[in-house]
Amino acid sequence: MQKIVLLGGGYGNMRILQRLLTNDLPSDVQLTLIDRLPYHCLKTEYYALAAGTESDHHLRVSFPNDPRLEIKYGNISSVDLDGKTVHIDGQDEAINYDTLIIGLGCEDKYHNVPGAREETLSIQSMEDTRKTGETLNNVRPQGVVSIVGGGLSGVELASELRESRPDLTIKLFDRGDIILSMFPYRLSNYVQNWFINHGVEVINKSNITKVEKHALYNHDERIESDAIIWTAGIQPNRVVREMDVEKDQQGRVKLTPHHHLPNDENVFVVGDCASLPHAPSAQLAEGQGEQIVTVLKKRWKNEPLPETFPTIKLKGVLGSLGKKHGFGLMGERTLLGRVPRVMKSGVLWMYKYHSG
């Protein structure tokens, strides 16, 4: 029996499971998924759970229910590539694999800012987001909430929180001259003006030098805050960071064109931990998943692999500014206002109810 073990139930591994659990899965292949939670989480919507505008249940998608899939629950502590085993906290018996697919996602990156890890809230995991949501919803009336990082996560959280808690003073700190600086200026300017018009204070050219309980320091100026959320960068999961494999400058694992380790064709990496030409995203992880399934199925059929795969095509980016406004970039086309918000809601609905 060939054992395929998938670490993490994120977007990439969900796509892989959907494509493998078809009629052409060989009878001698056993699939095992290991995750901390009993469902797939819609990480792209964590900002809404934190802001209190969506329920926990709204962000869950069931794992496939199939007799060919075994699901184990636990926190992965380490991977032994030489011994071909995965170790789970609190469990003495390791899990053996023939093929391993690592999709463990990412964690916050604190850039060595003193106090940031200990004194800020996070929306990188479902568990952390639940805690953040409870804290934000319990902030005193007319309290101050500071969000560090003006990328997509910080922008969506700040706008959603503005609708959820109009009494709050919301401060959004960003290092750039304008928020969402990786997007065309027209889009960034629209979003920054939306914040100005809706009473969110945007602090551009910020530099957070220290964080304390209920305070952060911007260029060493102390700013009192009832809650501080960190959305200023990500890094691969700790388990991947500790693996003795070749990585890029961001700590992501370098792979062959077939998405496996250069020295081990039976260990694949999918999603945020993989070194790819594009920034990590759910779309990119799903595209990787499709190609990994192609590799596996061709191997099972003893067919030659393509030397390379075509570049994964990304359909674009859609972001929300509360429930009624949004922004998007589809190819070279910038979308602003209600249309991209409606599109994002439609994409989410399709994923939840028609994925795979």
Side-chain angles (χ1 to χ4, degrees):
M1 183 68 72
Q2 182 184 165
K3 296 181 179 180
I4 299 180
V5 175
L6 301 94
L7 306 186
Y11 290 96
N13 275 342
M14 277 290 280
R15 179 58 58 90
I16 290 171
L17 288 175
Q18 290 161 353
R19 296 297 183 255
L20 287 182
L21 292 171
T22 54
N23 293 332
D24 60 348
L25 181 69
S27 59
D28 64 342
V29 172
Q30 175 188 335
L31 300 173
T32 300
L33 171 67
I34 307 174
D35 198 272
R36 291 182 299 212
L37 298 173
Y39 40 76
H40 166 63
C41 300
L42 300 176
K43 187 174 182 179
T44 59
E45 306 304 302
Y46 280 176
Y47 70 91
L49 177 60
T53 58
E54 295 290 356
S55 69
D56 185 298
H57 190 266
H58 181 76
L59 272 63
R60 304 178 190 175
V61 175
S62 298
F63 289 136
N65 183 12
D66 192 291
R68 296 168 294 179
L69 172 64
E70 179 185 17
I71 301 177
K72 292 182 177 292
Y73 303 114
N75 187 56
I76 297 160
S77 58
S78 63
V79 175
D80 181 354
L81 296 176
D82 294 328
K84 290 196 168 188
T85 55
V86 176
H87 299 268
I88 299 177
D89 284 338
Q91 297 186 20
D92 294 332
E93 187 175 351
I95 297 173
N96 300 311
Y97 68 82
D98 297 301
T99 297
L100 184 67
I101 305 176
I102 302 172
L104 290 174
C106 61
E107 302 172 356
D108 289 301
K109 186 173 184 178
Y110 296 100
H111 308 287
N112 298 317
V113 175
R117 180 185 300 277
E118 297 80 11
E119 303 298 345
T120 64
L121 299 164
S122 171
I123 58 171
Q124 283 301 328
S125 72
M126 178 65 100
E127 301 94 316
D128 288 339
T129 304
R130 287 180 180 133
K131 296 175 185 176
T132 299
E134 181 179 5
T135 300
L136 291 179
N137 283 291
N138 289 330
V139 169
R140 64 184 174 87
Q142 299 181 328
V144 178
V145 172
S146 294
I147 299 172
V148 182
L152 188 60
S153 295
V155 163
E156 291 193 304
L157 176 58
S159 60
E160 201 80 5
L161 189 60
R162 165 50 68 230
E163 288 196 357
S164 174
R165 291 287 306 271
D167 62 295
L168 295 176
T169 295
I170 302 173
K171 299 177 181 286
L172 180 59
F173 295 85
D174 183 58
R175 293 181 67 102
D177 295 332
I178 192 169
I179 55 176
L180 296 176
S181 56
M182 72 292 295
F183 290 100
Y185 176 78
R186 178 167 170 253
L187 186 154
S188 304
N189 189 56
Y190 172 84
V191 175
Q192 180 128 344
N193 285 330
W194 188 94
F195 281 128
I196 293 171
N197 294 334
H198 288 80
V200 174
E201 183 180 354
V202 179
I203 299 96
N204 299 118
K205 299 182 180 179
S206 66
N207 181 28
I208 307 305
T209 53
K210 184 170 65 172
V211 181
E212 296 177 347
K213 191 174 182 63
H214 298 312
L216 56 75
Y217 291 77
N218 181 35
H219 295 285
D220 295 324
E221 176 189 355
R222 181 181 173 89
I223 298 170
E224 300 285 342
S225 303
D226 293 273
I228 305 166
I229 305 98
W230 192 270
T231 63
I234 58 174
Q235 60 184 340
N237 180 281
R238 174 197 59 81
V239 173
V240 172
R241 297 201 306 272
E242 293 176 355
M243 290 173 58
D244 185 17
V245 295
E246 188 178 4
K247 304 182 180 93
D248 63 17
Q249 292 183 339
Q250 287 74 41
R252 300 187 180 106
V253 179
K254 290 187 177 182
L255 304 169
T256 69
H258 298 129
H259 307 293
H260 59 70
L261 298 181
N263 60 346
D264 192 337
E265 64 175 15
N266 293 312
V267 177
F268 298 85
V269 181
V270 64
D272 297 344
C273 297
S275 179
L276 296 170
H278 301 286
S281 69
Q283 285 185 64
L284 190 60
E286 290 177 335
Q288 250 194 303
E290 297 277 2
Q291 295 183 353
I292 289 172
V293 169
T294 297
V295 171
L296 293 175
K297 289 189 173 183
K298 284 188 174 295
R299 285 182 182 175
W300 294 334
K301 296 175 183 177
N302 292 317
E303 295 177 357
L305 300 178
E307 290 187 11
T308 59
F309 281 109
T311 301
I312 297 171
K313 293 184 179 180
L314 304 180
K315 297 177 182 178
V317 177
L318 294 169
S320 69
L321 294 170
K323 298 301 184 189
K324 296 182 179 179
H325 298 88
F327 55 91
L329 187 64
M330 311 297 284
E332 299 296 321
R333 186 181 181 188
T334 297
L335 303 174
L336 306 171
R338 290 182 180 271
V339 171
R341 187 63 184 90
V342 172
M343 290 174 65
K344 181 176 180 183
S345 296
V347 169
L348 178 63
W349 187 87
M350 287 291 291
Y351 182 87
K352 285 186 68 175
Y353 299 107
H354 294 277
S355 178

